[in-house]
Amino acid sequence: DKLPIEETLEDSPQTRSLLGVFEEDAAAISNYINQLFQAMHRIYDAQNELSAATHLTSKLLKEYEKQRFPLGGDDEVMTSTLQQFAKVIDELSSCHAVLSTQLADAMMFPITQFKERDLKEILTLKEVFQIASNDHDAAITRYGRLSKRRENEKIKAEVIEDVYTSRKKQHQTMMHYFCALNTLQYKKKIALLEPLLGYMQAQISFFKMGSENLTEQLEEFLTNIGTSVQNVRREMECEVENMQQTIEDLEVASDPLYLPDPDTTKFPVHRNLTRKAGYLNARNKTGLVSSSWDRQFYFTQGGNLMSQARGDVAGGLVMDIDNCSVMAVDCEDRRYCFQITSFDGKKSSILQAESKKDYEEWICTINNISKQIYLSENPEEIAARVNQSALEAVTPSPSFQQRHESLRPAPQCRPAAVRTSSTGSLGSESAALSALSLDSLVAPDTPIQFDIISPVSEDLPGQAKSSGQSGRRTNPFGESGGSKSETEDSILHQLFIVRFLGSMEVKSDESPDVVYETMRQILAARAIHNIFRMTESHLLVTCDCLKLIDPQTQVTRLRFPLPNVVLCAAHQENKRLFGFVLRTSGGRAESRQTSICYIFESNNEGEKICDSVGLAKQIALHAELDRKATEKQKEIDRVKEKQQQELNKQKQIEKDLEEQSRLIAASSRANQSSGDGQFVVLSSSQSEDSDLGEDGKKKRESEA
């Protein structure tokens, strides 16, 4: 099926009818090619987007190790796995980029060329043919109107020329138009098949590259990751099942607690608590008679009442409830209100609980804390023993002396033998010291140091400080990678976690009472000045010294020579409190020695630390005795060696005298036998005497 180019000059109706069929076919091809071009262009755009998205995914996987998730730590396994995935996905991204290039060259270029060049050429030729056909029809019409009666040669020549030109133009245009339409029947097949062939070849090349990159090792890696994912999924399902079971159990158990005021007969009040937390309404005065109530979360921390608003990171101090008073109050039209008043009466708060159970438990808990029961080893047992009615007002003695009286060991609770000296020997309490006032044990107007002063910034009195010691990292276990540390040769290495409470100068260092009194005064001063910060350190006990080491940087904060530690004692009731007395040279008067008492709180029992210090002093004492015995033995050996040297020298002198006597006897015999010989001997003797001098002559005479 093609248009007859030979019939273009005749331009018959049949030719025009056949031309119309070819034009309809060209229009249908153009419409279809436009739709196919849009579809292939979407494939090309999607491939470019896939390549870019794959590359972005690989980049994000590589940056996973730089992320800081609030709930996720550094998971090296997850990081390495994602790095491996990033490497593979990056290779796939390169393959996708190659596929995009191949699609652009082998698929988009041919169909674009057919659409932009061939189809537009058909449209252009159609327009030109239509114009030429109209011009030819107009010229024929003018030619047919020529009059045969009045012929004008000039007009006739113009019309004939016009017919010639228009017919020639129409014929040439029609031939090219027919040729283009006939060629379109072949080009449409190429335009359809060539892009599809390029698309399939590009896809085959892409899959070949993928098969080369996805090796068996990668398949094994993906199998392992799939197994890990299944394990995590099973673990998650198990955890979800457990959580669902927990939720069901809690829903059943908590159903009565949904009521704001549960029945106290079913849920008894716990009156022996020393810690409690929950929401309370606090009254804030807004005017002389008006007030507002704010709901906040309250909790106890040691001897402090803390509050925390929703959204806050940490809680803030509301009141020190050591030795405070708590009582039920009738507050306006609100129920379950109670008032807390500080020990000095300067601060008070009115709070409202949600239920009667919480109301009574808060009162009992604050009552127990005010008696400092939380400082004991078994606070619940002591609370059960001393707790009275939870609704009664509890007002301990407000006096400063009695506030911390509970921290002092009772006389009947003290053992008969306590640690009193650096030698670790045990001795009984001195009756004379017991009779003295405890205030006389502490120097008057003595400042209290509540924090550790860095040895770099300030020297502690009596603290030995060698060059390079301050700020040097110390290995508490004696393992040094560089220079040999001073504690490497020590037999004893014991480490304790302690918190420094304070230190102050004391008058006496002969009885544990000075340590107890220092504890009382330091704790009282901390309570008065609202000082709650405590510096945590590692206390290293060796045979040479006691060291306070920073737990983070391993830098020695303070060093106490062991011979200067003259007394160490632990509190008899609060086992975690202990202290020791350091005897130093210098102080207020440089001519006398001063004693400073250091108080600490430990995670262990203070008695164990004191026993460790006593053991260290005993080991140091035995080491000193061994050293002195070794030095004495070395001195005896040196004396014996010197005596042996003197004896050897004396023997050498006697040997020389015997040799000289033998020579003189031989000379005498020679002089008697010959006169010449006598002359010679005398001459030699005289020459020797002249060489020896006056002293030599006298010695020679005495020997003769």
Side-chain angles (χ1 to χ4, degrees), residues 626-684:
D626 293 342
R627 185 186 63 81
K628 289 182 178 180
T630 304
E631 291 181 355
K632 186 175 181 180
Q633 184 64 33
K634 288 182 180 179
E635 184 67 24
I636 293 174
D637 293 341
R638 285 196 296 269
V639 172
K640 288 183 179 180
E641 184 179 358
K642 188 175 182 181
Q643 291 177 354
Q644 185 66 31
Q645 290 177 355
E646 292 292 337
L647 183 60
N648 293 337
K649 187 177 180 181
Q650 186 66 28
K651 288 181 179 180
Q652 185 65 31
I653 292 174
E654 291 177 356
K655 186 177 180 180
D656 293 342
L657 290 177
E658 290 177 359
E659 183 66 25
Q660 290 177 2
S661 299
R662 187 180 61 78
L663 291 174
I664 292 172
S667 299
S668 299
R669 288 194 298 272
N671 290 337
Q672 292 175 3
S673 62
S674 174
D676 295 337
Q678 184 181 8
F679 174 76
V680 174
V681 172
L682 291 175
S683 299
S684 63

Side-chain angles (χ1 to χ4, degrees), residues 67 108 119 133 136 169 292 301 322 347 377 412 424-425 433 436 440 445 452 465 495 516 528 550 557 586 589 698:
Q67 304 299 319
M108 296 306 301
L119 293 181
S133 178
H136 179 260
K169 182 178 179 181
S292 63
Q301 189 176 46
D322 276 345
K347 190 174 183 179
E377 289 186 351
Q412 62 272 17
S425 61
L433 259 176
L436 293 175
S440 64
D445 301 329
I452 296 176
K465 194 174 184 182
L495 198 67
Y516 305 147
I528 290 175
D550 186 271
R557 288 172 171 167
K698 291 181 180 180

Side-chain angles (χ1 to χ4, degrees), residues 3-253:
L3 289 171
I5 299 177
E6 298 83 0
E7 298 179 2
T8 54
L9 183 60
E10 183 180 357
D11 193 18
S12 63
Q14 291 82 4
T15 304
R16 284 295 183 108
S17 177
L18 185 60
L19 176 62
V21 175
F22 273 79
E23 286 179 347
E24 290 180 4
D25 184 73
I29 291 175
S30 178
N31 185 30
Y32 180 76
I33 288 297
N34 286 330
Q35 295 180 9
L36 184 62
F37 175 81
Q38 295 294 332
M40 290 186 174
H41 201 280
R42 287 183 63 183
I43 293 176
Y44 177 65
D45 291 341
Q47 184 60 41
N48 288 334
E49 180 63 24
L50 179 60
S51 177
T54 309
H55 179 71
L56 178 61
T57 303
S58 174
K59 182 180 178 181
L60 290 176
L61 292 178
K62 291 179 181 178
E63 294 178 354
Y64 176 80
E65 60 182 356
K66 300 179 182 179
Q67 304 299 319
R68 295 294 178 265
F69 300 103
L71 296 180
D74 295 334
D75 191 349
E76 296 182 359
V77 176
M78 191 66 178
T79 301
S80 61
T81 303
L82 293 183
Q83 288 293 329
Q84 183 70 16
F85 271 115
K87 182 179 178 181
V88 176
I89 293 176
D90 198 12
E91 294 178 357
L92 292 177
S93 175
S94 302
C95 296
H96 283 295
V98 173
L99 177 59
S100 298
T101 305
Q102 292 179 348
L103 290 179
D105 296 337
M107 182 181 73
M108 296 306 301
F109 181 74
I111 195 171
T112 303
Q113 286 291 96
F114 178 73
K115 177 176 176 292
E116 298 294 333
R117 185 182 62 186
D118 299 330
L119 293 181
K120 282 189 176 181
E121 182 184 3
I122 295 295
L123 292 177
T124 303
L125 288 175
K126 180 179 180 181
E127 292 177 359
V128 173
F129 169 71
Q130 191 68 34
I131 294 173
S133 178
N134 293 334
D135 292 343
H136 179 260
D137 291 342
I140 291 298
T141 301
R142 288 178 59 192
Y143 179 76
R145 290 177 182 177
L146 288 175
S147 175
K148 63 179 181 178
R149 294 180 181 179
R150 291 183 291 179
E151 294 184 358
N152 190 339
E153 295 296 332
K154 183 179 180 181
I155 295 175
K156 184 179 180 180
E158 290 178 356
V159 171
I160 292 173
E161 181 67 24
D162 191 13
V163 170
Y164 171 81
T165 303
S166 60
R167 182 171 292 177
K168 181 179 180 180
K169 182 178 179 181
Q170 179 189 3
H171 183 231
Q172 292 177 350
T173 304
M174 195 172 185
M175 286 190 297
H176 288 289
Y177 186 37
F178 279 24
C179 180
L181 288 175
N182 290 334
T183 308
L184 183 63
Q185 299 303 314
Y186 298 95
K187 287 185 178 180
K188 70 178 182 180
K189 299 177 182 179
I190 298 174
L192 290 174
L193 297 178
E194 193 173 9
L196 295 176
L197 180 62
Y199 172 76
M200 295 306 299
Q201 288 178 346
Q203 291 291 346
I204 291 172
S205 176
F206 170 74
F207 287 121
K208 284 183 178 180
M209 287 189 295
S211 64
E212 293 175 358
N213 292 330
L214 300 177
T215 59
E216 294 181 359
Q217 182 179 1
L218 182 59
E219 291 178 0
E220 182 181 357
F221 168 73
L222 295 178
T223 303
N224 295 334
I225 296 302
T227 304
S228 300
V229 170
Q230 293 299 325
N231 293 336
V232 174
R233 186 180 298 278
R234 283 194 295 269
E235 184 178 352
M236 179 190 68
E237 292 174 355
C238 182
E239 183 66 23
V240 169
E241 184 178 354
N242 293 336
M243 289 189 293
Q244 291 293 339
Q245 184 62 38
T246 303
I247 291 174
E248 293 178 3
D249 296 341
L250 288 177
E251 286 179 350
V252 174

Side-chain angles (χ1 to χ4, degrees), residues 345-622:
K346 295 181 179 180
K347 190 174 183 179
S348 63
S349 296
I350 296 179
L351 304 173
Q352 180 196 18
E354 189 178 69
S355 63
K356 184 177 181 181
K357 178 178 181 295
D358 284 345
Y359 161 72
E360 295 184 5
E361 285 183 353
W362 271 107
I363 292 179
C364 293
T365 302
I366 296 174
N367 180 24
N368 295 334
I369 294 175
S370 69
K371 296 178 181 179
Q372 298 180 348
I373 297 176
Y374 66 94
L375 296 175
S376 58
E377 289 186 351
N378 299 317
E380 292 190 2
E381 294 182 4
I382 298 177
R385 195 166 59 246
V386 302
N387 188 31
Q388 299 176 358
S389 175
L391 299 178
E392 295 179 358
V394 180
T395 310
S397 175
S399 65
F400 176 83
Q401 182 71 17
Q402 295 179 1
R403 183 185 176 197
H404 293 278
E405 195 69 26
S406 60
L407 290 178
R408 292 175 51 192
Q412 62 272 17
C413 296
R414 296 179 184 170
V418 293
R419 192 175 293 99
T420 59
S421 66
S422 62
T423 60
S425 61
L426 301 177
S428 61
E429 287 185 331
S430 173
L433 259 176
S434 300
L436 293 175
S437 172
L438 291 177
D439 291 335
S440 64
L441 298 175
V442 181
D445 301 329
T446 300
I448 299 177
Q449 180 177 318
F450 293 107
D451 203 352
I452 296 176
I453 299 177
S454 173
V456 179
S457 60
E458 183 173 341
D459 294 338
L460 192 66
Q463 180 176 331
K465 194 174 184 182
S466 59
S467 61
Q469 177 182 343
S470 299
R472 180 171 60 86
R473 290 182 182 270
T474 301
N475 192 328
F477 301 101
E479 300 171 358
S480 177
S483 60
K484 190 174 182 180
S485 65
E486 62 178 352
T487 59
E488 267 192 16
D489 296 332
S490 179
I491 300 175
L492 183 66
H493 286 85
Q494 290 190 352
L495 198 67
F496 302 95
I497 299 176
V498 298
R499 287 170 292 278
F500 181 69
L501 295 177
S503 64
M504 60 187 300
E505 185 178 341
V506 294
K507 288 183 178 181
S508 173
D509 54 13
E510 299 176 357
S511 170
D513 285 335
V514 67
V515 179
Y516 305 147
E517 178 62 18
T518 305
M519 290 179 183
R520 187 189 69 82
Q521 292 203 18
I522 288 177
L523 291 175
R526 276 181 169 270
I528 290 175
H529 300 289
N530 292 329
I531 300 175
F532 308 106
R533 181 176 177 270
M534 293 185 292
T535 303
E536 185 170 301
S537 305
H538 289 170
L539 178 65
L540 178 63
V541 180
T542 67
C543 299
D544 300 324
C545 61
L546 306 181
K547 283 187 177 182
L548 285 179
I549 301 172
D550 186 271
Q552 300 295 330
T553 62
Q554 297 301 318
V555 173
T556 301
R557 288 172 171 167
L558 289 179
R559 180 183 180 276
F560 307 102
L562 194 62
N564 294 354
V565 179
V566 296
L567 178 65
C568 184
H571 202 281
Q572 298 301 316
E573 292 182 1
N574 187 358
K575 302 296 184 181
R576 297 169 62 184
L577 295 178
F578 77 98
F580 60 82
V581 179
L582 185 74
R583 185 178 296 171
T584 63
S585 59
R588 298 185 181 181
E590 296 294 334
S591 59
R592 69 177 181 87
Q593 288 187 339
T594 59
S595 298
I596 300 176
C597 184
Y598 294 86
I599 305 301
F600 297 89
E601 181 186 21
S602 172
N603 290 351
N604 309 90
E605 293 185 3
E607 286 289 341
K608 293 182 180 180
I609 301 178
C610 293
D611 292 339
S612 179
V613 174
L615 178 60
K617 295 182 74 65
Q618 289 181 6
I619 294 174
L621 176 62
H622 290 305

